[in-house]
Amino acid sequence: MITALVLGLVAFIAQSEYALGTSLISRPIVTGLLTGIVMGDIKTGLVMGATLELAFIGVFSVGASIPPNVVVGGILGVAFAISSGAGTETALLLGLPIATLALVFENLYLGLALPIFLHKADRYAEEANTRGITFMHLLGGFGMSLMIGSIVAISYYVGGDAVSKVLEAIPGPVQTGLEVATGLIPALGFAMLARLLINKQVVPYFFLGFLIVAYLEIPITGIALLGAIIAVVIVGITQKQTLATNEGGVEDDDEDF
Amino acid sequence: MTTKTSEENNQVEMVPELSKKDLNSLFWRSFQMEFSWNYERQASLAYVYAMLPILKKLYKNKEDLSRALKRHLEFFNTTPHIVTMILGISAAMEKQNAEDPKFDESSINTVKASLMGPLAGIGDSFFWGTLRLIATGIGTSLALQGNILGPILFLLVFNVPHIVLRYILTGLGYKMGTGFLRKLQEKGTMGNLTLGASILGLIVIGGMSADMIILNVPLTIGSGDTATPVQEILDGILPGLLPLAAFGIIYWLLGKEVKATTLLIGIALVSILGTWTGIFG
């Protein structure tokens, strides 16, 4: 009971990252640690959180798209996996569908409840009532955090036993298969990100990064620093080229779609 | 009233200067840019919330204030981490509007609307693609070993540059007013920023793909003493050949408009099938 409430509180705080500069405290790598602390197994929380983070790496909101809820998925996935004594693949197996399920509630709130506050704010704007507008903004935001917190607390309280029973019923080969899947799922996130950034001009840099790490086994911090230097150099060269072509009066427009 | 009359050259009623304190409140309030995000007008309510103290200071007249509030309740959305740039510009324009009765009020929203797209283009690819990815790479590689520094570094790597930029852009947006982004676009600086961010992002994605996508084959060719593990042969061709192939297939399927959820289920099924038949492990 108390665990459920504390987990709900963790979810409330994590969801409130939107009041804290979208600072990524809602991500599984962070909530995994916090959930691990609550469940009394920090190390497992860290490992599961990081695994979920990689699985959810393609899950983030670009523009107006709302992705599966990583707060609910991350916290409940890790909490259930620890409480049932199962492995990391279980956190993944549970976290992904739970996040998608929570998205239904989130969408209802963002699509139906918040616009009600917004329309109220419209009326306050008419009367130049600034306190009313402030109240609507805060009510809308904290309402969301409260809803997410409650979903986590209630699900954990109700679902613990049911989840362990379902997990016990899963046959062995499926479990090992899912373990293999945890190694493959990051590929989905990376591919989604690559789609966001790629155009003809920059395709080779993906392979450059891949080969450097595959052959030299440099840690990611190293590859990030190397990448920054390469980016600066290439931008410098391109800049010179564009200036040169512009002086020649030729418009070099290689925009890609 | 003991206001100094050094600025009498403007033949208008007294409009208070916006101080450092006002811009700071803009900066702090901007942290809530996605708090009341909704499907109807997205970040609009939060935008008004951020502008409130400044609008209240500029417009003493209830009617003017009401018009300004309604103006900023119009649709708005951009990358939240750098929204302060547009907020700063809006603040500068609101001030001119309050001073000059001939100021074209509608231009405030036109500038907002024309900036949010390009800024989101750069911001989304830099913050979500590049910076978050670097933070994830560093954070997860530590956390996977059970190191508590993982999540801490994850947050620091992302948020130190984020908050510094958010702060700098508040003042910059206010100072440069409207002409700034147009100038950037003319010089091609926007294009260069996007290019640099994509190069860095892709190198890191490539590196992480090699490091974090894991797929092994336990099969062997031949038998007895001459048995060679298939994995060894594959590694001889290219270390990480299978992860690269997995990435390639998924990338290609995404291009065919296959949904991420479908792919996720597909990955699970293929893994289970592969393990069951003994190809993967």
Side-chain angles (χ1 to χ4, degrees):
Chain A
M1 177 72 187
I2 289 170
T3 317
L5 283 177
V6 179
L7 286 176
L9 183 68
V10 170
F12 179 87
I13 295 167
Q15 182 68 33
S16 298
E17 85 156 33
Y18 296 111
L20 300 167
T22 317
S23 47
L24 301 191
I25 57 170
S26 71
R27 301 296 305 184
I29 185 172
V30 180
T31 55
L33 167 64
L34 298 176
T35 308
I37 293 172
V38 175
M39 305 297 293
D41 190 346
I42 294 178
K43 193 161 175 173
T44 311
L46 279 166
V47 174
M48 287 180 178
T51 310
L52 275 169
E53 182 63 46
L54 287 173
F56 279 119
I57 199 167
V59 172
F60 60 99
S61 62
V62 167
S65 65
I66 298 295
N69 189 293
V70 293
V71 174
V72 179
I75 294 175
L76 285 180
V78 174
F80 283 142
I82 293 180
S83 73
S84 60
T88 304
E89 72 280 356
T90 311
L92 204 64
L93 171 71
L94 293 170
L96 292 169
I98 290 174
T100 315
L101 214 62
L103 177 64
V104 177
F105 291 95
E106 192 176 350
N107 270 335
L108 281 175
Y109 188 84
L110 294 176
L112 297 174
L114 254 169
I116 295 172
F117 300 135
L118 182 66
H119 293 155
K120 201 108 199 248
D122 281 340
R123 244 172 297 146
Y124 287 132
E126 201 78 52
E127 307 155 7
N129 177 351
T130 53
R131 284 179 72 186
I133 292 177
T134 305
F135 186 59
M136 285 304 119
H137 167 76
L138 295 177
L139 190 66
F142 280 118
M144 178 66 149
S145 299
L146 201 65
M147 182 182 80
I148 296 298
S150 316
I151 290 177
V152 167
I154 295 169
S155 308
Y156 185 80
Y157 186 64
V158 176
D161 289 338
V163 167
S164 333
K165 271 189 203 121
V166 171
L167 287 178
E168 275 161 29
I170 296 174
V174 175
Q175 295 218 6
T176 357
L178 288 168
E179 231 167 281
V180 172
T182 57
L184 272 177
I185 284 170
L188 176 60
F190 297 147
M192 286 168 79
L193 280 169
R195 285 229 161 253
L196 180 80
L197 296 175
I198 237 163
N199 61 44
K200 273 185 214 141
Q201 204 184 351
V202 293
V203 172
Y205 298 105
F206 169 79
F207 293 99
L208 181 64
F210 189 93
L211 293 180
I212 293 175
V213 172
Y215 280 110
L216 304 177
E217 291 172 10
I218 294 175
I220 297 301
T221 319
I223 199 75
L225 293 171
L226 267 176
I229 293 170
I230 294 170
V232 170
V233 171
I234 297 295
V235 167
I237 293 171
T238 327
Q239 206 163 18
K240 263 188 210 143
Q241 274 173 352
T242 347
L243 284 179
T245 40
N246 279 354
E247 273 163 25
V250 186
E251 192 66 36
D252 183 7
D253 196 8
D254 50 7
E255 194 90 22
D256 263 284
F257 293 97
Chain B
M1 293 280 266
T2 52
T3 328
K4 281 186 188 158
T5 50
S6 58
E7 280 201 86
E8 286 245 288
N9 45 351
N10 285 346
Q11 75 279 44
V12 285
E13 50 189 304
M14 251 179 314
V15 173
E17 280 296 321
L18 293 183
S19 61
K20 192 93 206 143
K21 219 179 114 208
D22 295 317
L23 289 183
N24 280 342
S25 92
L26 203 60
F27 166 73
W28 287 116
R29 281 175 175 243
S30 80
F31 278 75
Q32 301 193 23
M33 195 46 63
E34 290 193 312
F35 202 32
S36 56
W37 196 100
N38 60 79
Y39 279 116
E40 195 180 307
R41 269 171 274 157
Q42 307 199 354
S44 65
L45 186 51
Y47 201 91
V48 189
Y49 173 77
M51 292 286 290
L52 265 182
I54 286 178
L55 295 179
K56 251 162 73 181
K57 188 170 180 184
L58 289 174
Y59 300 107
K60 296 294 174 214
N61 178 326
K62 210 175 162 185
E63 240 167 71
D64 291 339
L65 178 59
S66 163
R67 265 218 309 285
L69 292 173
K70 278 193 272 182
R71 179 160 57 236
H72 290 293
L73 270 171
E74 291 296 326
F75 178 93
F76 182 80
N77 198 30
T78 196
T79 310
H81 313 98
I82 46 175
V83 67
T84 45
M85 171 140 191
I86 303 184
L87 281 170
I89 291 172
S90 286
M93 293 182 83
E94 287 292 354
K95 185 172 172 294
Q96 288 165 40
N97 185 42
E99 281 167 354
D100 179 1
K102 282 192 225 110
F103 190 87
D104 178 13
E105 247 181 32
S106 66
S107 71
I108 298 172
N109 270 354
T110 317
V111 168
K112 250 170 85 177
S114 64
L115 284 183
M116 61 190 191
L119 214 59
I122 293 180
D124 280 355
S125 65
F126 178 71
F127 280 98
W128 294 134
T130 312
L131 189 59
R132 183 182 63 108
L133 201 69
I134 295 170
T136 308
I138 296 169
T140 47
S141 56
L142 286 171
L144 282 174
Q145 298 158 14
N147 190 333
I148 200 163
L149 275 177
I152 295 170
L153 275 180
F154 169 79
L155 287 177
L156 286 180
V157 169
F158 185 80
N159 285 310
V160 170
H162 148 218
I163 292 170
V164 169
L165 257 178
R166 185 190 282 266
Y167 185 77
I168 292 174
L169 288 177
T170 319
L172 203 69
Y174 183 69
K175 223 180 282 168
M176 302 295 189
T178 51
F180 180 64
L181 267 198
R182 211 174 303 137
K183 239 184 269 165
L184 275 184
Q185 240 156 356
E186 277 162 16
K187 275 201 272 172
T189 312
M190 298 273 261
N192 283 335
L193 281 176
T194 320
L195 175 65
S198 345
I199 291 175
L200 174 54
L202 281 172
I203 291 177
V204 175
I205 294 175
M208 287 180 79
S209 299
D211 192 30
M212 287 165 179
I213 304 173
I214 299 156
L215 185 59
N216 289 312
V217 177
L219 298 177
T220 50
I221 294 177
S223 58
D225 288 344
T226 55
T228 337
V230 175
Q231 189 64 44
E232 226 165 73
I233 302 170
L234 292 172
D235 285 345
I237 303 169
L238 166 69
L241 186 63
L242 286 178
L244 186 62
F247 175 92
I249 293 169
I250 293 168
Y251 183 86
W252 177 73
L253 286 172
L254 279 172
K256 295 270 166 210
E257 310 268 310
V258 180
K259 279 194 171 175
T261 341
T262 317
L263 284 173
L264 209 58
I265 297 166
I267 291 171
L269 289 179
V270 169
S271 303
I272 293 168
L273 215 68
T275 318
W276 187 55
T277 52
I279 301 171
F280 301 153

